[in-house]
Amino acid sequence: MRTVVRLLTAVERTEEQERTLARIRTECERTDVRFEEQGIELDVSIGRALDELIEGAPSTDRCPAYSYAFYQVVAAHFSDPTDLGAWRRPSWFHTLDDELARHGVPSDLLPGTFLFGGPPLRLPHPGDAVPAIGTLPARRAAEVADAYASVLDRLDPRFRDAARRFTDVMRCEAEEWENARGLGTTPDTLLFWFH
């Protein structure tokens, strides 16, 4: 995520950063075309939103295009996407939060805290419930997995599958983080994207 933020906030970009931005612009344009074909109209195109993020001057304070542009910047730098599943309402996670908290999971490890906490820099509000962005420091994945695993058998049955899925994914992310550290790299962020 440090690389993503540096790219968006650099005063002078390296050649490599410019090449990366060219690929990101292409993806933003593709998404704009796809949205147009689906009849989805945005007040600001995703390509324009990217340029405005780079300039540090969004032209509106409410439009999902900036979140989609940010996602494309992140996608150019992150790897190993994992699909956590499909949920009809993001608000369901607040009910899951209540259940986990009732069993002693600390508030900073509750899913609603990291799933919807926003990106590491300020973006205009998407204007609707989605797209939503959240982050979690990669080094904390093991804490989440341990906390959820410790209460799993006490959760109401309707929450167990989701909590188990998070436990498994976070355990995997914790192992990836440890392996990367062993190789001398330090992945810093897990990004969550709801759309």
mmCIF file of all heavy atoms in Angstrom, residues 4 7-9 13 17-30 32 42 44-59 63-77 121 123-124:
data_model
loop_
_atom_site.group_PDB
_atom_site.id
_atom_site.type_symbol
_atom_site.label_atom_id
_atom_site.label_comp_id
_atom_site.label_asym_id
_atom_site.label_seq_id
_atom_site.Cartn_x
_atom_site.Cartn_y
_atom_site.Cartn_z
ATOM 1 N N VAL A 4 1.395 2.191 -3.504
ATOM 2 C CA VAL A 4 0.182 2.781 -4.086
ATOM 3 C C VAL A 4 0.076 4.250 -3.699
ATOM 4 O O VAL A 4 -0.147 5.124 -4.546
ATOM 5 C CB VAL A 4 -1.080 2.011 -3.614
ATOM 6 C CG1 VAL A 4 -2.350 2.761 -3.958
ATOM 7 C CG2 VAL A 4 -1.099 0.618 -4.214
ATOM 8 N N LEU A 7 2.658 6.369 -5.445
ATOM 9 C CA LEU A 7 2.324 6.599 -6.847
ATOM 10 C C LEU A 7 1.310 7.737 -6.986
ATOM 11 O O LEU A 7 1.445 8.605 -7.843
ATOM 12 C CB LEU A 7 1.770 5.326 -7.487
ATOM 13 C CG LEU A 7 1.341 5.443 -8.946
ATOM 14 C CD1 LEU A 7 2.543 5.721 -9.850
ATOM 15 C CD2 LEU A 7 0.640 4.184 -9.396
ATOM 16 N N LEU A 8 0.313 7.730 -6.137
ATOM 17 C CA LEU A 8 -0.736 8.749 -6.238
ATOM 18 C C LEU A 8 -0.300 10.121 -5.730
ATOM 19 O O LEU A 8 -0.899 11.126 -6.095
ATOM 20 C CB LEU A 8 -1.987 8.300 -5.482
ATOM 21 C CG LEU A 8 -2.765 7.163 -6.121
ATOM 22 C CD1 LEU A 8 -3.882 6.697 -5.205
ATOM 23 C CD2 LEU A 8 -3.331 7.591 -7.477
ATOM 24 N N THR A 9 0.706 10.156 -4.883
ATOM 25 C CA THR A 9 1.092 11.437 -4.282
ATOM 26 C C THR A 9 2.455 11.949 -4.749
ATOM 27 O O THR A 9 2.902 12.999 -4.291
ATOM 28 C CB THR A 9 1.101 11.321 -2.739
ATOM 29 O OG1 THR A 9 2.014 10.299 -2.354
ATOM 30 C CG2 THR A 9 -0.290 11.013 -2.208
ATOM 31 N N ARG A 13 7.363 11.546 -10.950
ATOM 32 C CA ARG A 13 7.280 10.085 -11.032
ATOM 33 C C ARG A 13 8.458 9.512 -11.805
ATOM 34 O O ARG A 13 8.952 10.121 -12.746
ATOM 35 C CB ARG A 13 5.972 9.677 -11.704
ATOM 36 C CG ARG A 13 4.810 9.862 -10.785
ATOM 37 C CD ARG A 13 3.479 9.490 -11.393
ATOM 38 N NE ARG A 13 2.448 9.930 -10.492
ATOM 39 C CZ ARG A 13 2.069 11.193 -10.349
ATOM 40 N NH1 ARG A 13 2.601 12.130 -11.072
ATOM 41 N NH2 ARG A 13 1.138 11.525 -9.472
ATOM 42 N N GLN A 17 6.999 4.217 -12.609
ATOM 43 C CA GLN A 17 5.698 4.694 -12.146
ATOM 44 C C GLN A 17 4.839 5.167 -13.319
ATOM 45 O O GLN A 17 3.633 4.913 -13.352
ATOM 46 C CB GLN A 17 5.861 5.830 -11.128
ATOM 47 C CG GLN A 17 6.336 5.363 -9.775
ATOM 48 C CD GLN A 17 6.592 6.516 -8.833
ATOM 49 O OE1 GLN A 17 7.155 7.550 -9.214
ATOM 50 N NE2 GLN A 17 6.177 6.347 -7.575
ATOM 51 N N GLU A 18 5.448 5.838 -14.279
ATOM 52 C CA GLU A 18 4.692 6.301 -15.463
ATOM 53 C C GLU A 18 4.180 5.121 -16.275
ATOM 54 O O GLU A 18 3.050 5.146 -16.769
ATOM 55 C CB GLU A 18 5.561 7.224 -16.333
ATOM 56 C CG GLU A 18 5.813 8.596 -15.731
ATOM 57 C CD GLU A 18 4.551 9.435 -15.533
ATOM 58 O OE1 GLU A 18 3.488 9.153 -16.151
ATOM 59 O OE2 GLU A 18 4.617 10.385 -14.736
ATOM 60 N N ARG A 19 4.984 4.065 -16.418
ATOM 61 C CA ARG A 19 4.523 2.871 -17.134
ATOM 62 C C ARG A 19 3.361 2.218 -16.385
ATOM 63 O O ARG A 19 2.374 1.785 -16.984
ATOM 64 C CB ARG A 19 5.671 1.867 -17.316
ATOM 65 C CG ARG A 19 6.652 2.234 -18.407
ATOM 66 C CD ARG A 19 7.600 1.099 -18.727
ATOM 67 N NE ARG A 19 8.404 0.682 -17.586
ATOM 68 C CZ ARG A 19 9.563 1.228 -17.228
ATOM 69 N NH1 ARG A 19 10.083 2.213 -17.954
ATOM 70 N NH2 ARG A 19 10.233 0.781 -16.182
ATOM 71 N N THR A 20 3.470 2.162 -15.071
ATOM 72 C CA THR A 20 2.391 1.592 -14.259
ATOM 73 C C THR A 20 1.122 2.419 -14.422
ATOM 74 O O THR A 20 0.031 1.865 -14.599
ATOM 75 C CB THR A 20 2.815 1.533 -12.773
ATOM 76 O OG1 THR A 20 3.986 0.715 -12.658
ATOM 77 C CG2 THR A 20 1.702 0.966 -11.913
ATOM 78 N N LEU A 21 1.252 3.732 -14.388
ATOM 79 C CA LEU A 21 0.078 4.600 -14.571
ATOM 80 C C LEU A 21 -0.559 4.411 -15.943
ATOM 81 O O LEU A 21 -1.787 4.464 -16.068
ATOM 82 C CB LEU A 21 0.455 6.073 -14.377
ATOM 83 C CG LEU A 21 0.440 6.569 -12.947
ATOM 84 C CD1 LEU A 21 0.943 8.007 -12.874
ATOM 85 C CD2 LEU A 21 -0.945 6.472 -12.345
ATOM 86 N N ALA A 22 0.241 4.168 -16.963
ATOM 87 C CA ALA A 22 -0.317 3.935 -18.302
ATOM 88 C C ALA A 22 -1.176 2.668 -18.296
ATOM 89 O O ALA A 22 -2.278 2.652 -18.870
ATOM 90 C CB ALA A 22 0.805 3.822 -19.335
ATOM 91 N N ARG A 23 -0.700 1.608 -17.620
ATOM 92 C CA ARG A 23 -1.494 0.373 -17.523
ATOM 93 C C ARG A 23 -2.772 0.611 -16.720
ATOM 94 O O ARG A 23 -3.840 0.120 -17.066
ATOM 95 C CB ARG A 23 -0.673 -0.744 -16.864
ATOM 96 C CG ARG A 23 0.416 -1.311 -17.734
ATOM 97 C CD ARG A 23 1.011 -2.606 -17.188
ATOM 98 N NE ARG A 23 1.160 -2.685 -15.754
ATOM 99 C CZ ARG A 23 2.237 -2.301 -15.058
ATOM 100 N NH1 ARG A 23 3.283 -1.805 -15.697
ATOM 101 N NH2 ARG A 23 2.282 -2.438 -13.749
ATOM 102 N N ILE A 24 -2.662 1.382 -15.652
ATOM 103 C CA ILE A 24 -3.827 1.685 -14.812
ATOM 104 C C ILE A 24 -4.849 2.488 -15.602
ATOM 105 O O ILE A 24 -6.059 2.218 -15.527
ATOM 106 C CB ILE A 24 -3.388 2.427 -13.533
ATOM 107 C CG1 ILE A 24 -2.535 1.505 -12.664
ATOM 108 C CG2 ILE A 24 -4.595 2.961 -12.769
ATOM 109 C CD1 ILE A 24 -1.773 2.221 -11.550
ATOM 110 N N ARG A 25 -4.392 3.466 -16.375
ATOM 111 C CA ARG A 25 -5.317 4.272 -17.195
ATOM 112 C C ARG A 25 -6.083 3.385 -18.176
ATOM 113 O O ARG A 25 -7.283 3.565 -18.382
ATOM 114 C CB ARG A 25 -4.548 5.350 -17.952
ATOM 115 C CG ARG A 25 -4.239 6.551 -17.129
ATOM 116 C CD ARG A 25 -3.718 7.725 -17.975
ATOM 117 N NE ARG A 25 -3.483 8.852 -17.108
ATOM 118 C CZ ARG A 25 -2.328 9.115 -16.507
ATOM 119 N NH1 ARG A 25 -1.285 8.331 -16.707
ATOM 120 N NH2 ARG A 25 -2.201 10.146 -15.714
ATOM 121 N N THR A 26 -5.382 2.426 -18.765
ATOM 122 C CA THR A 26 -6.036 1.501 -19.697
ATOM 123 C C THR A 26 -7.134 0.723 -18.979
ATOM 124 O O THR A 26 -8.243 0.563 -19.507
ATOM 125 C CB THR A 26 -5.002 0.537 -20.311
ATOM 126 O OG1 THR A 26 -4.036 1.311 -21.031
ATOM 127 C CG2 THR A 26 -5.655 -0.472 -21.227
ATOM 128 N N GLU A 27 -6.853 0.238 -17.776
ATOM 129 C CA GLU A 27 -7.869 -0.503 -17.010
ATOM 130 C C GLU A 27 -9.039 0.398 -16.620
ATOM 131 O O GLU A 27 -10.191 -0.040 -16.636
ATOM 132 C CB GLU A 27 -7.247 -1.159 -15.775
ATOM 133 C CG GLU A 27 -6.304 -2.282 -16.101
ATOM 134 C CD GLU A 27 -6.941 -3.358 -16.973
ATOM 135 O OE1 GLU A 27 -8.096 -3.770 -16.703
ATOM 136 O OE2 GLU A 27 -6.296 -3.799 -17.941
ATOM 137 N N CYS A 28 -8.756 1.636 -16.273
ATOM 138 C CA CYS A 28 -9.834 2.582 -15.944
ATOM 139 C C CYS A 28 -10.721 2.821 -17.167
ATOM 140 O O CYS A 28 -11.952 2.846 -17.057
ATOM 141 C CB CYS A 28 -9.256 3.910 -15.443
ATOM 142 S SG CYS A 28 -8.545 3.817 -13.782
ATOM 143 N N GLU A 29 -10.093 2.985 -18.326
ATOM 144 C CA GLU A 29 -10.858 3.184 -19.560
ATOM 145 C C GLU A 29 -11.719 1.955 -19.875
ATOM 146 O O GLU A 29 -12.868 2.088 -20.288
ATOM 147 C CB GLU A 29 -9.914 3.492 -20.721
ATOM 148 C CG GLU A 29 -9.264 4.853 -20.615
ATOM 149 C CD GLU A 29 -8.092 5.038 -21.567
ATOM 150 O OE1 GLU A 29 -7.827 4.145 -22.419
ATOM 151 O OE2 GLU A 29 -7.424 6.081 -21.457
ATOM 152 N N ARG A 30 -11.167 0.762 -19.673
ATOM 153 C CA ARG A 30 -11.937 -0.470 -19.898
ATOM 154 C C ARG A 30 -13.148 -0.541 -18.973
ATOM 155 O O ARG A 30 -14.228 -0.958 -19.376
ATOM 156 C CB ARG A 30 -11.064 -1.705 -19.685
ATOM 157 C CG ARG A 30 -10.097 -1.955 -20.796
ATOM 158 C CD ARG A 30 -9.304 -3.208 -20.544
ATOM 159 N NE ARG A 30 -8.354 -3.401 -21.618
ATOM 160 C CZ ARG A 30 -7.196 -4.012 -21.497
ATOM 161 N NH1 ARG A 30 -6.844 -4.530 -20.338
ATOM 162 N NH2 ARG A 30 -6.389 -4.126 -22.520
ATOM 163 N N ASP A 32 -14.660 2.039 -17.626
ATOM 164 C CA ASP A 32 -15.607 3.056 -18.110
ATOM 165 C C ASP A 32 -16.451 2.507 -19.263
ATOM 166 O O ASP A 32 -17.668 2.681 -19.294
ATOM 167 C CB ASP A 32 -14.865 4.324 -18.577
ATOM 168 C CG ASP A 32 -14.479 5.242 -17.429
ATOM 169 O OD1 ASP A 32 -15.224 5.294 -16.422
ATOM 170 O OD2 ASP A 32 -13.431 5.911 -17.544
ATOM 171 N N LEU A 42 -21.853 7.533 -14.382
ATOM 172 C CA LEU A 42 -21.188 8.165 -13.246
ATOM 173 C C LEU A 42 -21.025 9.649 -13.553
ATOM 174 O O LEU A 42 -20.852 10.036 -14.713
ATOM 175 C CB LEU A 42 -19.812 7.531 -13.013
ATOM 176 C CG LEU A 42 -19.786 6.026 -12.765
ATOM 177 C CD1 LEU A 42 -18.345 5.524 -12.685
ATOM 178 C CD2 LEU A 42 -20.537 5.686 -11.494
ATOM 179 N N VAL A 44 -18.508 11.438 -12.847
ATOM 180 C CA VAL A 44 -17.120 11.602 -13.272
ATOM 181 C C VAL A 44 -16.675 10.245 -13.809
ATOM 182 O O VAL A 44 -16.926 9.221 -13.173
ATOM 183 C CB VAL A 44 -16.227 12.012 -12.073
ATOM 184 C CG1 VAL A 44 -14.773 12.074 -12.464
ATOM 185 C CG2 VAL A 44 -16.687 13.328 -11.471
ATOM 186 N N SER A 45 -16.034 10.221 -14.966
ATOM 187 C CA SER A 45 -15.544 8.936 -15.480
ATOM 188 C C SER A 45 -14.434 8.418 -14.570
ATOM 189 O O SER A 45 -13.779 9.190 -13.853
ATOM 190 C CB SER A 45 -15.016 9.093 -16.906
ATOM 191 O OG SER A 45 -13.771 9.776 -16.900
ATOM 192 N N ILE A 46 -14.202 7.132 -14.615
ATOM 193 C CA ILE A 46 -13.169 6.533 -13.780
ATOM 194 C C ILE A 46 -11.786 7.010 -14.234
ATOM 195 O O ILE A 46 -10.922 7.298 -13.410
ATOM 196 C CB ILE A 46 -13.286 5.000 -13.786
ATOM 197 C CG1 ILE A 46 -14.643 4.610 -13.196
ATOM 198 C CG2 ILE A 46 -12.144 4.348 -13.023
ATOM 199 C CD1 ILE A 46 -15.027 3.170 -13.404
ATOM 200 N N GLY A 47 -11.608 7.147 -15.538
ATOM 201 C CA GLY A 47 -10.345 7.675 -16.057
ATOM 202 C C GLY A 47 -10.081 9.092 -15.558
ATOM 203 O O GLY A 47 -8.959 9.420 -15.142
ATOM 204 N N ARG A 48 -11.102 9.925 -15.581
ATOM 205 C CA ARG A 48 -10.947 11.298 -15.081
ATOM 206 C C ARG A 48 -10.717 11.289 -13.563
ATOM 207 O O ARG A 48 -9.899 12.056 -13.056
ATOM 208 C CB ARG A 48 -12.181 12.127 -15.426
ATOM 209 C CG ARG A 48 -12.074 13.556 -14.952
ATOM 210 C CD ARG A 48 -13.218 14.394 -15.466
ATOM 211 N NE ARG A 48 -13.531 15.416 -14.471
ATOM 212 C CZ ARG A 48 -14.699 15.965 -14.300
ATOM 213 N NH1 ARG A 48 -15.719 15.620 -15.071
ATOM 214 N NH2 ARG A 48 -14.893 16.868 -13.381
ATOM 215 N N ALA A 49 -11.417 10.407 -12.860
ATOM 216 C CA ALA A 49 -11.232 10.313 -11.413
ATOM 217 C C ALA A 49 -9.783 9.963 -11.084
ATOM 218 O O ALA A 49 -9.205 10.516 -10.140
ATOM 219 C CB ALA A 49 -12.190 9.279 -10.826
ATOM 220 N N LEU A 50 -9.184 9.061 -11.863
ATOM 221 C CA LEU A 50 -7.781 8.715 -11.654
ATOM 222 C C LEU A 50 -6.909 9.960 -11.794
ATOM 223 O O LEU A 50 -6.072 10.242 -10.939
ATOM 224 C CB LEU A 50 -7.331 7.640 -12.642
ATOM 225 C CG LEU A 50 -5.833 7.324 -12.617
ATOM 226 C CD1 LEU A 50 -5.442 6.698 -11.282
ATOM 227 C CD2 LEU A 50 -5.460 6.421 -13.787
ATOM 228 N N ASP A 51 -7.108 10.706 -12.873
ATOM 229 C CA ASP A 51 -6.308 11.914 -13.083
ATOM 230 C C ASP A 51 -6.494 12.909 -11.941
ATOM 231 O O ASP A 51 -5.533 13.535 -11.480
ATOM 232 C CB ASP A 51 -6.661 12.572 -14.416
ATOM 233 C CG ASP A 51 -6.199 11.741 -15.603
ATOM 234 O OD1 ASP A 51 -5.239 10.943 -15.443
ATOM 235 O OD2 ASP A 51 -6.797 11.867 -16.689
ATOM 236 N N GLU A 52 -7.713 13.038 -11.460
ATOM 237 C CA GLU A 52 -7.978 13.970 -10.368
ATOM 238 C C GLU A 52 -7.341 13.489 -9.065
ATOM 239 O O GLU A 52 -6.865 14.307 -8.266
ATOM 240 C CB GLU A 52 -9.481 14.186 -10.197
ATOM 241 C CG GLU A 52 -10.092 14.962 -11.350
ATOM 242 C CD GLU A 52 -11.597 15.144 -11.239
ATOM 243 O OE1 GLU A 52 -12.185 14.755 -10.205
ATOM 244 O OE2 GLU A 52 -12.189 15.690 -12.184
ATOM 245 N N LEU A 53 -7.317 12.182 -8.846
ATOM 246 C CA LEU A 53 -6.633 11.655 -7.651
ATOM 247 C C LEU A 53 -5.133 11.942 -7.729
ATOM 248 O O LEU A 53 -4.513 12.326 -6.733
ATOM 249 C CB LEU A 53 -6.869 10.154 -7.504
ATOM 250 C CG LEU A 53 -8.255 9.717 -7.057
ATOM 251 C CD1 LEU A 53 -8.351 8.198 -7.045
ATOM 252 C CD2 LEU A 53 -8.588 10.282 -5.686
ATOM 253 N N ILE A 54 -4.571 11.762 -8.907
ATOM 254 C CA ILE A 54 -3.144 12.023 -9.101
ATOM 255 C C ILE A 54 -2.840 13.506 -8.872
ATOM 256 O O ILE A 54 -1.837 13.861 -8.260
ATOM 257 C CB ILE A 54 -2.703 11.579 -10.515
ATOM 258 C CG1 ILE A 54 -2.746 10.056 -10.604
ATOM 259 C CG2 ILE A 54 -1.314 12.112 -10.845
ATOM 260 C CD1 ILE A 54 -2.643 9.531 -12.015
ATOM 261 N N GLU A 55 -3.733 14.367 -9.343
ATOM 262 C CA GLU A 55 -3.546 15.809 -9.160
ATOM 263 C C GLU A 55 -3.845 16.248 -7.728
ATOM 264 O O GLU A 55 -3.508 17.364 -7.334
ATOM 265 C CB GLU A 55 -4.455 16.578 -10.127
ATOM 266 C CG GLU A 55 -4.079 16.396 -11.579
ATOM 267 C CD GLU A 55 -5.188 16.857 -12.533
ATOM 268 O OE1 GLU A 55 -6.182 17.459 -12.065
ATOM 269 O OE2 GLU A 55 -5.044 16.605 -13.736
ATOM 270 N N GLY A 56 -4.505 15.377 -6.966
ATOM 271 C CA GLY A 56 -4.864 15.713 -5.594
ATOM 272 C C GLY A 56 -6.026 16.672 -5.499
ATOM 273 O O GLY A 56 -6.181 17.382 -4.507
ATOM 274 N N ALA A 57 -6.876 16.686 -6.550
ATOM 275 C CA ALA A 57 -7.965 17.657 -6.578
ATOM 276 C C ALA A 57 -9.246 17.054 -7.155
ATOM 277 O O ALA A 57 -9.655 17.390 -8.272
ATOM 278 C CB ALA A 57 -7.553 18.871 -7.409
ATOM 279 N N PRO A 58 -9.914 16.167 -6.408
ATOM 280 C CA PRO A 58 -11.190 15.635 -6.889
ATOM 281 C C PRO A 58 -12.195 16.766 -7.121
ATOM 282 O O PRO A 58 -12.256 17.727 -6.345
ATOM 283 C CB PRO A 58 -11.649 14.710 -5.758
ATOM 284 C CG PRO A 58 -10.387 14.315 -5.066
ATOM 285 C CD PRO A 58 -9.507 15.531 -5.153
ATOM 286 N N SER A 59 -12.951 16.659 -8.199
ATOM 287 C CA SER A 59 -13.886 17.727 -8.571
ATOM 288 C C SER A 59 -15.235 17.610 -7.865
ATOM 289 O O SER A 59 -16.078 18.478 -8.018
ATOM 290 C CB SER A 59 -14.093 17.730 -10.092
ATOM 291 O OG SER A 59 -14.643 16.500 -10.518
ATOM 292 N N CYS A 63 -18.845 10.517 -5.383
ATOM 293 C CA CYS A 63 -18.922 9.797 -6.654
ATOM 294 C C CYS A 63 -18.131 8.498 -6.528
ATOM 295 O O CYS A 63 -16.997 8.508 -6.035
ATOM 296 C CB CYS A 63 -18.354 10.646 -7.795
ATOM 297 S SG CYS A 63 -18.448 9.836 -9.409
ATOM 298 N N PRO A 64 -18.691 7.373 -6.958
ATOM 299 C CA PRO A 64 -17.979 6.095 -6.842
ATOM 300 C C PRO A 64 -16.788 5.955 -7.783
ATOM 301 O O PRO A 64 -15.961 5.065 -7.592
ATOM 302 C CB PRO A 64 -19.058 5.065 -7.156
ATOM 303 C CG PRO A 64 -20.053 5.776 -7.999
ATOM 304 C CD PRO A 64 -20.032 7.202 -7.514
ATOM 305 N N ALA A 65 -16.660 6.807 -8.775
ATOM 306 C CA ALA A 65 -15.568 6.676 -9.745
ATOM 307 C C ALA A 65 -14.198 6.716 -9.080
ATOM 308 O O ALA A 65 -13.271 6.015 -9.504
ATOM 309 C CB ALA A 65 -15.670 7.778 -10.799
ATOM 310 N N TYR A 66 -14.053 7.489 -8.027
ATOM 311 C CA TYR A 66 -12.756 7.592 -7.342
ATOM 312 C C TYR A 66 -12.388 6.278 -6.660
ATOM 313 O O TYR A 66 -11.220 5.892 -6.654
ATOM 314 C CB TYR A 66 -12.782 8.752 -6.339
ATOM 315 C CG TYR A 66 -13.056 10.069 -7.017
ATOM 316 C CD1 TYR A 66 -14.355 10.557 -7.127
ATOM 317 C CD2 TYR A 66 -12.021 10.813 -7.577
ATOM 318 C CE1 TYR A 66 -14.611 11.747 -7.778
ATOM 319 C CE2 TYR A 66 -12.272 12.014 -8.235
ATOM 320 C CZ TYR A 66 -13.570 12.476 -8.332
ATOM 321 O OH TYR A 66 -13.825 13.648 -8.989
ATOM 322 N N SER A 67 -13.379 5.611 -6.100
ATOM 323 C CA SER A 67 -13.111 4.309 -5.483
ATOM 324 C C SER A 67 -12.708 3.294 -6.541
ATOM 325 O O SER A 67 -11.792 2.490 -6.331
ATOM 326 C CB SER A 67 -14.347 3.805 -4.722
ATOM 327 O OG SER A 67 -14.621 4.645 -3.632
ATOM 328 N N TYR A 68 -13.378 3.314 -7.694
ATOM 329 C CA TYR A 68 -13.009 2.397 -8.776
ATOM 330 C C TYR A 68 -11.614 2.715 -9.310
ATOM 331 O O TYR A 68 -10.828 1.804 -9.613
ATOM 332 C CB TYR A 68 -14.039 2.436 -9.899
ATOM 333 C CG TYR A 68 -15.310 1.698 -9.564
ATOM 334 C CD1 TYR A 68 -16.473 2.384 -9.258
ATOM 335 C CD2 TYR A 68 -15.336 0.305 -9.534
ATOM 336 C CE1 TYR A 68 -17.653 1.704 -8.934
ATOM 337 C CE2 TYR A 68 -16.489 -0.386 -9.206
ATOM 338 C CZ TYR A 68 -17.646 0.318 -8.910
ATOM 339 O OH TYR A 68 -18.795 -0.360 -8.579
ATOM 340 N N ALA A 69 -11.269 3.993 -9.417
ATOM 341 C CA ALA A 69 -9.927 4.376 -9.873
ATOM 342 C C ALA A 69 -8.880 3.921 -8.861
ATOM 343 O O ALA A 69 -7.839 3.361 -9.234
ATOM 344 C CB ALA A 69 -9.851 5.885 -10.088
ATOM 345 N N PHE A 70 -9.166 4.145 -7.582
ATOM 346 C CA PHE A 70 -8.232 3.706 -6.541
ATOM 347 C C PHE A 70 -8.039 2.194 -6.607
ATOM 348 O O PHE A 70 -6.922 1.700 -6.500
ATOM 349 C CB PHE A 70 -8.742 4.132 -5.157
ATOM 350 C CG PHE A 70 -7.829 3.720 -4.046
ATOM 351 C CD1 PHE A 70 -6.673 4.438 -3.776
ATOM 352 C CD2 PHE A 70 -8.107 2.604 -3.276
ATOM 353 C CE1 PHE A 70 -5.812 4.053 -2.761
ATOM 354 C CE2 PHE A 70 -7.260 2.209 -2.256
ATOM 355 C CZ PHE A 70 -6.109 2.940 -1.995
ATOM 356 N N TYR A 71 -9.124 1.471 -6.805
ATOM 357 C CA TYR A 71 -9.040 0.017 -6.914
ATOM 358 C C TYR A 71 -8.095 -0.386 -8.052
ATOM 359 O O TYR A 71 -7.289 -1.310 -7.902
ATOM 360 C CB TYR A 71 -10.420 -0.595 -7.137
ATOM 361 C CG TYR A 71 -10.348 -2.073 -7.410
ATOM 362 C CD1 TYR A 71 -10.172 -2.978 -6.379
ATOM 363 C CD2 TYR A 71 -10.411 -2.567 -8.710
ATOM 364 C CE1 TYR A 71 -10.070 -4.338 -6.620
ATOM 365 C CE2 TYR A 71 -10.315 -3.922 -8.971
ATOM 366 C CZ TYR A 71 -10.143 -4.801 -7.919
ATOM 367 O OH TYR A 71 -10.032 -6.136 -8.165
ATOM 368 N N GLN A 72 -8.169 0.295 -9.180
ATOM 369 C CA GLN A 72 -7.292 -0.042 -10.309
ATOM 370 C C GLN A 72 -5.827 0.215 -9.966
ATOM 371 O O GLN A 72 -4.945 -0.536 -10.388
ATOM 372 C CB GLN A 72 -7.704 0.724 -11.572
ATOM 373 C CG GLN A 72 -9.032 0.304 -12.140
ATOM 374 C CD GLN A 72 -9.085 -1.173 -12.520
ATOM 375 O OE1 GLN A 72 -8.072 -1.824 -12.748
ATOM 376 N NE2 GLN A 72 -10.296 -1.707 -12.586
ATOM 377 N N VAL A 73 -5.572 1.273 -9.200
ATOM 378 C CA VAL A 73 -4.189 1.541 -8.772
ATOM 379 C C VAL A 73 -3.724 0.408 -7.863
ATOM 380 O O VAL A 73 -2.616 -0.113 -8.016
ATOM 381 C CB VAL A 73 -4.082 2.903 -8.050
ATOM 382 C CG1 VAL A 73 -2.667 3.124 -7.531
ATOM 383 C CG2 VAL A 73 -4.487 4.042 -8.988
ATOM 384 N N VAL A 74 -4.566 0.015 -6.946
ATOM 385 C CA VAL A 74 -4.219 -1.075 -6.031
ATOM 386 C C VAL A 74 -4.019 -2.377 -6.807
ATOM 387 O O VAL A 74 -3.049 -3.104 -6.577
ATOM 388 C CB VAL A 74 -5.305 -1.235 -4.949
ATOM 389 C CG1 VAL A 74 -5.104 -2.514 -4.157
ATOM 390 C CG2 VAL A 74 -5.316 -0.032 -4.023
ATOM 391 N N ALA A 75 -4.920 -2.675 -7.725
ATOM 392 C CA ALA A 75 -4.848 -3.926 -8.488
ATOM 393 C C ALA A 75 -3.538 -4.045 -9.257
ATOM 394 O O ALA A 75 -3.038 -5.155 -9.475
ATOM 395 C CB ALA A 75 -6.033 -4.032 -9.443
ATOM 396 N N ALA A 76 -2.949 -2.929 -9.628
ATOM 397 C CA ALA A 76 -1.679 -2.950 -10.358
ATOM 398 C C ALA A 76 -0.502 -3.313 -9.452
ATOM 399 O O ALA A 76 0.576 -3.648 -9.937
ATOM 400 C CB ALA A 76 -1.429 -1.586 -11.008
ATOM 401 N N HIS A 77 -0.711 -3.254 -8.145
ATOM 402 C CA HIS A 77 0.380 -3.489 -7.202
ATOM 403 C C HIS A 77 0.183 -4.699 -6.298
ATOM 404 O O HIS A 77 1.132 -5.203 -5.722
ATOM 405 C CB HIS A 77 0.572 -2.257 -6.311
ATOM 406 C CG HIS A 77 1.082 -1.087 -7.067
ATOM 407 N ND1 HIS A 77 0.254 -0.178 -7.663
ATOM 408 C CD2 HIS A 77 2.343 -0.701 -7.354
ATOM 409 C CE1 HIS A 77 0.990 0.727 -8.271
ATOM 410 N NE2 HIS A 77 2.250 0.439 -8.097
ATOM 411 N N LEU A 121 -5.982 6.717 2.184
ATOM 412 C CA LEU A 121 -6.009 8.140 1.868
ATOM 413 C C LEU A 121 -7.455 8.541 1.595
ATOM 414 O O LEU A 121 -8.297 7.709 1.288
ATOM 415 C CB LEU A 121 -5.085 8.489 0.702
ATOM 416 C CG LEU A 121 -5.177 7.682 -0.583
ATOM 417 C CD1 LEU A 121 -6.178 8.296 -1.533
ATOM 418 C CD2 LEU A 121 -3.817 7.646 -1.222
ATOM 419 N N LEU A 123 -10.722 9.669 -0.057
ATOM 420 C CA LEU A 123 -11.376 9.673 -1.365
ATOM 421 C C LEU A 123 -12.759 10.276 -1.210
ATOM 422 O O LEU A 123 -13.352 10.191 -0.133
ATOM 423 C CB LEU A 123 -11.552 8.239 -1.892
ATOM 424 C CG LEU A 123 -10.326 7.391 -2.148
ATOM 425 C CD1 LEU A 123 -10.740 6.002 -2.619
ATOM 426 C CD2 LEU A 123 -9.424 8.042 -3.164
ATOM 427 N N PRO A 124 -13.307 10.840 -2.282
ATOM 428 C CA PRO A 124 -14.707 11.249 -2.211
ATOM 429 C C PRO A 124 -15.585 10.048 -1.867
ATOM 430 O O PRO A 124 -15.304 8.919 -2.271
ATOM 431 C CB PRO A 124 -14.994 11.767 -3.621
ATOM 432 C CG PRO A 124 -13.659 12.235 -4.116
ATOM 433 C CD PRO A 124 -12.686 11.235 -3.549
#
